[in-house]
Structure formats: structure tokens, C-alpha cells
Amino acid sequence: MKELITSLFSTLTVQQVTLVISIINIVIVTASLILFVVFMVYFERKIMGYMHARIGPNRVGPKGIFQSLADTIKLLFKEIIIPAKADRFMFLLAPLLLLIPAIAAWAVVPMNPEFLIADINAGLLYLLALTSFGVYGVILAGWASNSKYAFLGSMRAAAQMVAYEIAMGFALVGVLMAGGSLKLGAIVAAQSGGIQNWFFIPLFPLFIVYFISGVAETNRHPFDVAEGEAEIVAGFHVEYSGAAFAIFFLAEYINMALISILTAIFFLGGWESVFSNISILENSVFSFLTQPSIFWLLIKTLFFLFVFVWLRATFPRYRYDQLMTLGWKVLIPITILWIGVECIMFVMEVGPWSSI
Amino acid sequence: MTSNNLKLNFGPQHPAAHGVMRLVMEMDGEVVVGLDPHIGLLHRGTEKLAEIKPFNHSIGYMDRMDYVSMMCCEHPYILAIEKLLDVTPPLRAQYIRVMFDEITRILNHLLWLGCHGLDIGAMALFLYCFREREDLLDCYEAVSGARMHATYYRPGGVYRDLPDSMPKYKANKYISEKKVKKLNYNRDGSLLDFIKDFTDRFPSHVDEYETLLTDNRIWKQRTVDIGIVTPERAIQLGFTGAMLRGSGIAWDLRRKQPYEVYNELDFKIPVGVNGDCYDRYLVRVEEMRQSNLIIQQCIKWLEDNPGPVMIDDNKLATPKRSSMKHDMESLIYHFKLFTEGYSVPEGNVYTAIEHPKGEFGVFLMSDGANKPYRLKIRAPSFPHLAAISEMSKGHMLADVVSIIGTLDVVFGEIDR
């Protein structure tokens, strides 16, 4: 790609070429994210439908595949109603504050060893910073709406995100210790060489804690107390309609995908193949199955997305204070404990540290 | 230091408001410190309307009292008229009534379970419950022609005997022959065969609901020790039905003041221990299983004992269409019944049945005319709703939703 652009525009300097490539990459990632959300909404509704012993969308297009497209068009053309006593500027700023970090976080997420928008050293820290930034959008949305329901929702969201951010951060400390790097690519590289090297085995409790915190972080069922449909109707976005609501929706699904892909990268070896290092397969015609590829990453991501939907279809919702109890009294102690266990593993030179 | 409490208007348009409930809540953060239920948004003046109509015309209004357990609401009204007229319906009609009362109990509890689950967030349950409700509503449709507001019970019996065939699905543009065959698999026989098939598989469905909820940690966290009512307090508050039994008092009108043929049937009365939302959940789930057993006993009896389902008294029963063609007498009775109705002897009477929600009673005052002088309905949900403030004080907002669910209120009967 670099050669192509330099040959096309020979007058550009090296920096300008890098800039052009970055912009192209950003457009690719953003466009595929939005397309993904369209797919994901359909995927979720269909799967939930079958889990609920019903059919799900089946009217727009064959098997209803254009349903989410129709929904998008409907949402975009609806009026954005701004409540009379709302703070107009903040009210419209809030959805963007949620969406921008959600998309920006993808800058450091590698799809395969080559494709990466920004190869920065502190990728993990950048991710932590941006995922926690989203809560400002939620709080602002609840506050600017000037509604008691929205206000309660944003208060809940704030408390919840603080609690689960810590558990998530500690879980990532464990990954960082095992991977030996803040770069996501390096963390995947540390898991290469077969399924037995993936981090979910030595870091199993952290893997579970990370995913649970991720579900809580994205405000998904059973941790959706900030939305709490039966209690506070829709929580922080109760006053939003039309495109503004669509942005909240978009951000939620992009965050879901982010958590899923990160879980795959941190604990399931990212683009590493499930079958890598199995010599029988490597020497047969199926050797392509053992090669690392973006498809493995996508399959793992889809699996976690399925779990998101599965949880939503099955579980009752937590109460707000029980959610906090789970975060502070269960998840955080587990992560701290396991970091201690990791230190012992480091000294004993087992697991990811056996080669040191 | 002072703190300002938050006043929150909950409903009437709220996903957990179960119709048109409005609560004005005073909240300290998430904790409810005061709660004031507002009623009357569904007031239709049924009791007053009944005073200007012949007795039979009000049966259909009774269906609309508690619109999720329709036939059970007709029942005490019919019983009151029968008591004043001093007539006893044929035994077969009594068995049919009991069977449909229990079908209605399952209908009501399924809707309650689904909505209670949905309120607490267990979405799947709602659709599973409605899948089973669909079959029961088909039974309603088969006997009365209406899926919900049946008007099936009549003074002196029931509107007509159980049909020998079930309505079947037909293939169309959207449903193929093959699918229709699958949908009709249990509809080849009579209604009784259809209900029998339902009762055979219903226990496994209840097991399915229980696997989703009973031992679910989140469900238990959300319901155990929420909205506790002590046995003494439950009596003082006028609780009946599952609300009272959840607190540990085995009070059931089917046993304490048997009506129809409940004397001859074998069933158990489940009671709770702690009087919290979880116990009431367990009581209601067990009631569904017991109702299923009662229905099975009724089916057995009804299969063995054919006979009339209406008393042979043309003052109350509609004459046969065929006899009206040549019999002057029948035509006169028909005309009288559908214009003037029938007159009921003077007197006051109170009848109550064990409605799925509690004691549903009708106080009927007759001055000897063809319509009631006064009709008063004792709706079980009314005292239950009145206790919501006491039950939810000190709990959190999300618990109020659990408590609304556990009360099993329907506003059709509260507002009347």
C-alpha cells in the first residue's frame, strides 16, 4: 500500500504518505464497525428470537436481513426531540462523547500482525483510558436531559463504571504481567504456539472477571441497571430520540464488539489458530487451518458477542447495590488474589514464564 | 445537614406499571422512603352499570374485571344469582366450571410469572409462559368463541357443553401444510383430549420455568427478603390468596368454604414460610402444578359422565333453536329471556370464590326486579395494592418493581 501511494503521488513526503495510509485505515475500520453494528442488531434479534421460542425479524427482505437497515433509516429520519428544560448543547454533545471514545479505542486494536492504525507503545493504557472515558457521555446525557429517570440512570452508571473499571484494570495487569508488553500485538505474540499457550489457562479467573466487567462496562444485561428498563425505563437515554438515540445505540454495540475482540486478543490468542502446532494437521492439506489469520480473531469475537446475547436472553437483572457488591467484594478481590498467584507462578517459572 | 428527597412519578405510563398504576414515590437516593399509589385511571363504573341491566347482561362485564382471569370473575356473580334464585346447576356444569376455574388459574399465574420475570429482567420467561397461555386461550375459544372475554358461565349451568372437535390451523401463504400438521397434532380429538394433552406436558414446562428461576442466584437476590409481610400483618391488611398463603397461612376458600365440587377433588394448598417475594413465587408455581392435577381429575370425571350442562328451566335457560320453530311456548320464553330477563327474589347475598389472586367476592342486593338493586365487588387486588406502601418502604427502587410484580395486581378489578 505504501508503495502504491508513493508511486501515485510522488510529490508527497514520507509523513504525508503515512498520514494518507492512516486516514484510509481509519475509514476502513469505522465503516466496517458501522456495518458490523447493522449486522449485530440483526444477529442479536434473531438469536434472541430463537432462544425465546419465537421467530425474530422476518418481514424486511429475505429472512428479515434488511430489518436493521430499515430501523437505521427510521431512526435517522425521526425528529430529535430536545426537552424544553434540557441543556441543549450538553444534550447533543453527550452522545458524541460516548461514540468518539468507543470508535477511537479501535486505533490500537490489531486485526492481524500487519493491520494496525496506531502502533503505540502504551496500547493497553490507551485502551483503559478510552473505555473509561465513555462514562462521561453517559453522565452528561443523564444530567443534560433534566429528567429524574435519566438522572438516576446516570448516577447508577457512574458508580457502576468506577467499580468495574477497577476490576477490569486489575485483570489487565495480570495480562500485562503474562504478556510482558503493553502492545496488543506483542501480547498476542506471547500466546503463539498452540492453544496451551493461550492466557485463558493460567489466567482463568482474570479471563472470567474481565469478561464480566466488560459486560458491566458496556451496560449490557444482566448489568444494565443504568438502563434498567423495568425500573427507570431507559435510564440515561430516556429523553433521546431519532439520530441522537441511534448514536447511543451505535456506541453500545461498538463497545460490545470492542470488549469481545479484546477478550479474544488478551486471553484467547487473538489471531492464533485453534489448531496451531498440531503436527498432523500441519503436514496435511488442512495446514491452512493452523495458520494465524484474521478469521480466527473474528470467530472468537463472534463467540463472545454470542455470549453477550445469551446472557441477555437468560438472566434476570441485578439490583444496583447487588451489582456494586459483586464488583467490589467479589471481582476486585479475585483479581488482586490472582495477581499474587501470578507472582508465585513467575517465581516458580510456570505457565507463560516457563521460558524465562 | 439537610437532604432533599427526590419525588418521583412512577407511571401511569411505565413498563412495570402493569397497566395504569401510578405511584408517587419519595426517594432518598435509590431508597424509597414514601410511596403513594394512585388509582382510578381504569374506572369504568361496572358496579353502577350493573344496576341498569338485566342480570345476564352483566356477565360479560365481569370478564372485564380482572381481564387476565376472566371466567373466575364471572363465577361469584353467577353463584350469587344462583343463590338468590335457589337453583343448583347440574353436576356436569359444576365440573366444567371447576375445570375452567383451574384453567383460568393457570392462565393468570402464567401471565403473572411472565410479567414478574420480565420486570426483574428475565425476558425469556415471558415468552415461554405466553406459549403455554396460547393453548389455554384456545380452550376458551373452543367453548365460548372468545379468546378472553368468554361469558361462558350462566346462572343454572354453562352456556353450552364442551365441543367434540377443536378448531384447527389452516395452511396459507405463510404457513405450509407441513407446519400446519405439526401445529394441529393435538387437535384431532375433542376439547377434553386437547386439555388432557396440555396437562400431560404442562408439568415439564413448569420445570423449565423453575430451572430458569428457582435456583438462579440473581433471581434469589432480587426476591428473597424483599417485601416481607408477617402472617399477623397479612391478616390485618386483608390479604387473601397467594399473598396470604405466601406468609404461611393456609387459607383457601376452595377448602375452607367449598363451592361447586371442590369437596370431591384432591389437591394441596401450598404455603410459604417467610412471606417474601420468593415464597410467594414458590407458592404460585406450586399452585399451577396443583391446578394441573385438579384439571386432570375433572377431565376424568367429565369423560365418564355425559349429561346436561344447564338446568331444565326455560326461565333461566335459552330454549333450543329447533323447538322454537314449532313450539309457541319456547318462542315466548326466548323473547322474555332476551328482553326482560328474569326476576330474582328479594334479598342480599355475598358469594366468594378462590380467584387466582385471592378472594373475589360479589355482594348482590336484589329488590325483586330483573336487575340488581346494588352490586358490590370485593376485588382481591385492592387490599394488596393498599399494602404496597408498607411493603416497599426502605427498599430500593428496583425492589418496588419486584413488589409490584409479586402483588399480581390488575387494574381492571381495582378500579372497576
Side-chain angles (χ1 to χ4, degrees):
Chain A
M1 191 143 157
K2 207 167 186 172
E3 293 76 41
L4 182 76
I5 289 168
T6 25
S7 61
L8 277 177
F9 311 98
S10 49
T11 54
L12 295 180
T13 62
V14 182
Q15 283 89 354
Q16 281 166 330
V17 169
T18 331
L19 187 71
V20 170
I21 292 174
S22 293
I23 288 173
I24 291 172
N25 283 349
I26 289 170
V27 170
I28 291 173
V29 169
T30 314
S32 39
L33 275 180
I34 290 170
L35 278 180
F36 158 80
V37 171
V38 170
F39 157 76
M40 183 62 202
V41 172
Y42 175 72
F43 177 72
E44 178 175 29
R45 289 181 62 181
K46 258 313 197 203
I47 289 188
M48 289 239 305
Y50 287 122
M51 282 181 177
H52 287 168
R54 57 192 169 92
I55 303 166
N58 70 341
R59 280 291 178 268
V60 191
K63 300 271 171 198
I65 50 169
F66 298 127
Q67 181 66 51
S68 32
L69 208 66
D71 288 346
T72 317
I73 293 169
K74 180 202 77 176
L75 279 173
L76 290 180
F77 283 96
K78 271 177 94 168
E79 184 191 356
I80 302 178
I81 300 164
I82 301 178
K85 288 190 177 170
D87 186 325
R88 285 181 71 92
F89 177 68
M90 294 295 186
F91 188 78
L92 294 175
L93 181 69
L96 294 179
L97 271 185
L98 198 60
L99 182 68
I100 292 167
I103 295 180
W106 286 80
V108 294
V109 177
M111 301 294 167
N112 60 30
E114 288 85 37
F115 188 90
L116 181 61
I117 295 172
D119 191 16
I120 55 176
N121 280 329
L124 208 64
L125 283 184
Y126 173 83
L127 270 178
L128 269 179
L130 278 187
T131 45
S132 39
F133 196 68
V135 72
Y136 287 103
V138 173
I139 294 175
L140 204 60
W143 181 78
S145 300
N146 195 18
S147 149
K148 285 167 186 171
Y149 283 97
F151 183 68
L152 276 174
S154 61
M155 285 293 104
R156 287 175 172 197
Q160 174 188 349
M161 291 214 186
V162 168
Y164 282 82
E165 202 65 48
I166 296 173
M168 206 171 189
F170 274 126
L172 288 186
V173 167
V175 175
L176 173 68
M177 285 167 72
S181 170
L182 282 168
K183 274 190 185 180
L184 273 67
I187 291 173
V188 177
Q191 301 178 61
S192 61
I195 202 165
Q196 72 280 1
N197 286 356
W198 293 0
F199 285 165
F200 81 96
I201 299 170
L203 308 182
F204 190 73
L206 298 186
F207 165 56
I208 300 296
V209 167
Y210 181 79
F211 190 69
I212 292 177
S213 316
V215 177
E217 186 79 5
T218 45
N219 268 326
R220 292 282 298 181
H221 212 91
F223 303 103
D224 61 342
V225 291
E227 288 173 30
E229 203 213 324
E231 299 139 34
I232 48 174
V233 195
F236 59 91
H237 60 62
V238 67
E239 301 290 349
Y240 283 86
S241 60
F245 171 74
I247 290 177
F248 278 116
F249 213 69
L250 201 65
E252 182 182 325
Y253 279 81
I254 290 175
N255 271 329
M256 243 165 83
L258 183 71
I259 295 293
S260 302
I261 202 168
L262 288 181
T263 318
I265 286 174
F266 291 145
F267 297 97
L268 291 190
W271 50 78
E272 290 294 328
S273 161
V274 182
F275 305 110
S276 67
N277 258 13
I278 300 177
S279 48
I280 312 162
L281 272 176
E282 264 174 354
N283 300 328
S284 68
V285 281
F286 297 110
S287 64
F288 66 93
L289 279 178
T290 64
Q291 296 304 310
S293 129
I294 188 169
F295 293 106
W296 289 115
L297 184 61
L298 286 180
I299 287 170
K300 290 166 191 169
T301 310
L302 274 179
F303 169 73
F304 286 115
L305 285 168
F306 173 77
V307 177
F308 267 100
V309 177
W310 191 8
L311 289 177
R312 183 176 168 200
T314 315
F315 279 125
R317 184 182 298 115
Y318 268 107
R319 199 175 67 200
Y320 161 71
D321 62 320
Q322 289 161 351
L323 183 82
M324 303 301 282
T325 314
L326 181 73
W328 288 102
K329 291 192 181 160
V330 180
L331 297 186
I332 294 177
I334 287 178
T335 50
I336 294 176
L337 189 78
W338 207 255
I339 288 171
V341 173
E342 267 188 74
C343 295
I344 296 167
M345 287 203 277
F346 176 75
V347 174
M348 310 272 288
E349 293 186 0
V350 290
W353 298 276
S354 53
S355 55
I356 298 170
Chain B
M1 202 185 109
T2 59
S3 71
N4 285 330
N5 286 340
L6 180 75
K7 267 248 163 92
L8 190 71
N9 184 37
F10 186 100
Q13 272 98 22
H14 190 284
H18 285 224
V20 286
M21 171 163 58
R22 180 172 173 224
L23 300 173
V24 178
M25 278 194 250
E26 200 169 324
M27 294 172 60
D28 181 11
E30 285 267 338
V31 179
V32 177
V33 288
L35 184 146
D36 193 12
H38 287 218
I39 60 165
L41 290 145
L42 200 61
H43 177 63
R44 294 154 298 179
T46 310
E47 290 171 354
K48 199 71 191 163
L49 276 172
E51 291 173 16
I52 54 159
K53 285 175 201 307
F55 283 98
N56 266 11
H57 291 199
S58 296
I59 302 173
Y61 277 96
M62 292 302 134
D63 284 317
R64 287 149 180 88
M65 290 276 82
D66 175 358
Y67 41 75
V68 292
S69 33
M70 294 68 73
M71 288 197 195
C72 279
C73 299
E74 295 169 16
H75 206 161
Y77 177 67
I78 301 297
L79 284 179
I81 299 171
E82 280 175 355
K83 206 168 173 182
L84 276 177
L85 285 167
D86 198 22
V87 295
T88 314
L91 203 55
R92 187 173 167 84
Q94 295 190 20
Y95 267 98
I96 292 177
R97 283 183 188 175
V98 166
M99 184 174 79
F100 271 95
D101 269 13
E102 297 309 317
I103 285 179
T104 310
R105 196 177 313 279
I106 295 181
L107 266 182
N108 177 77
H109 283 0
L110 281 177
L111 184 117
W112 162 80
L113 183 61
C115 293
H116 194 30
L118 193 64
D119 283 349
I120 296 185
M123 196 175 166
L125 202 71
F126 182 76
L127 291 135
Y128 296 159
C129 288
F130 268 65
R131 181 183 58 195
E132 269 72 71
R133 275 195 102 221
E134 198 57 34
D135 285 343
L136 292 177
L137 288 172
D138 282 348
C139 300
Y140 260 53
E141 192 177 355
V143 293
S144 73
R147 275 166 56 83
M148 289 180 74
H149 303 301
T151 328
Y152 181 56
Y153 299 173
R154 300 288 160 89
V158 294
Y159 163 58
R160 62 170 187 181
D161 204 353
L162 304 172
D164 291 329
S165 66
M166 278 297 286
K168 292 188 181 63
Y169 287 100
K170 290 192 184 87
N172 61 24
K173 203 166 91 184
Y174 300 105
I175 311 174
S176 65
E177 257 340 308
K178 216 172 122 193
K179 243 186 195 160
V180 165
K181 215 169 170 188
K182 212 172 145 194
L183 286 170
N184 283 336
Y185 86 96
N186 51 5
R187 288 165 191 267
D188 292 327
S190 66
L191 172 70
L192 280 176
D193 295 332
F194 181 77
I195 303 177
K196 200 174 190 175
D197 175 73
F198 176 83
T199 52
D200 287 343
R201 57 195 160 85
F202 186 62
S204 68
H205 290 314
V206 181
D207 292 343
E208 204 175 289
Y209 312 145
E210 286 213 79
T211 51
L212 274 173
L213 297 181
T214 305
D215 291 325
N216 186 321
R217 291 174 68 100
I218 306 178
W219 178 262
K220 282 179 109 167
Q221 284 185 30
R222 287 298 303 275
T223 52
V224 173
D225 287 344
I226 306 295
I228 297 180
V229 185
T230 59
E232 300 79 38
R233 197 63 194 136
I235 293 172
Q236 286 166 355
L237 288 165
F239 280 10
T240 46
M243 294 293 293
L244 186 62
R245 292 192 286 274
S247 294
I249 295 169
W251 176 265
D252 189 316
L253 292 182
R254 292 175 293 175
R255 276 272 180 266
K256 300 284 171 186
Q257 301 169 12
Y259 50 95
E260 309 290 15
V261 288
Y262 278 112
N263 264 338
E264 282 145 51
L265 297 168
D266 177 34
F267 62 97
K268 291 192 183 71
I269 308 293
V271 287
V273 179
N274 301 320
D276 55 9
C277 290
Y278 186 65
D279 278 16
R280 289 188 281 267
Y281 154 77
L282 292 177
V283 164
R284 285 187 176 119
V285 169
E286 186 53 35
E287 270 182 27
M288 285 202 275
R289 293 182 192 276
Q290 294 298 330
S291 292
N292 199 52
L293 292 177
I294 299 177
I295 295 173
Q296 277 170 340
Q297 295 169 43
C298 289
I299 291 173
K300 201 163 179 297
W301 192 93
L302 287 166
E303 274 177 345
D304 300 341
N305 297 282
V309 293
M310 191 76 184
I311 52 164
D312 189 21
D313 177 1
N314 279 345
K315 284 219 156 77
L316 284 176
T318 325
K320 276 207 168 60
R321 196 100 326 237
S322 53
S323 66
M324 277 161 58
K325 302 288 181 194
H326 51 79
D327 184 10
M328 185 71 188
E329 200 95 324
S330 293
L331 197 61
I332 292 170
Y333 276 128
H334 182 269
F335 179 74
K336 287 281 274 181
L337 195 64
F338 281 88
T339 52
E340 192 188 318
Y342 43 84
S343 293
V344 161
E346 209 177 316
N348 302 332
V349 60
Y350 176 76
T351 51
I353 66 149
E354 187 66 27
H355 181 275
K357 293 185 166 64
E359 177 182 333
F360 193 98
V362 160
F363 178 76
L364 189 65
M365 192 186 260
S366 169
D367 58 357
N370 63 343
K371 46 196 177 234
Y373 178 75
R374 174 81 171 94
L375 179 73
K376 167 81 179 86
I377 291 157
R378 190 244 182 237
S381 296
F382 190 83
H384 296 163
L385 182 72
I388 189 175
S389 165
E390 185 179 323
M391 285 168 78
S392 27
K393 246 174 227 170
H395 283 307
M396 299 182 99
L397 176 60
D399 295 331
V400 174
V401 175
S402 308
I403 291 170
I404 295 170
T406 200
L407 289 175
D408 193 13
V409 286
V410 158
F411 274 75
E413 58 171 5
I414 290 175
D415 292 343
R416 297 194 278 274

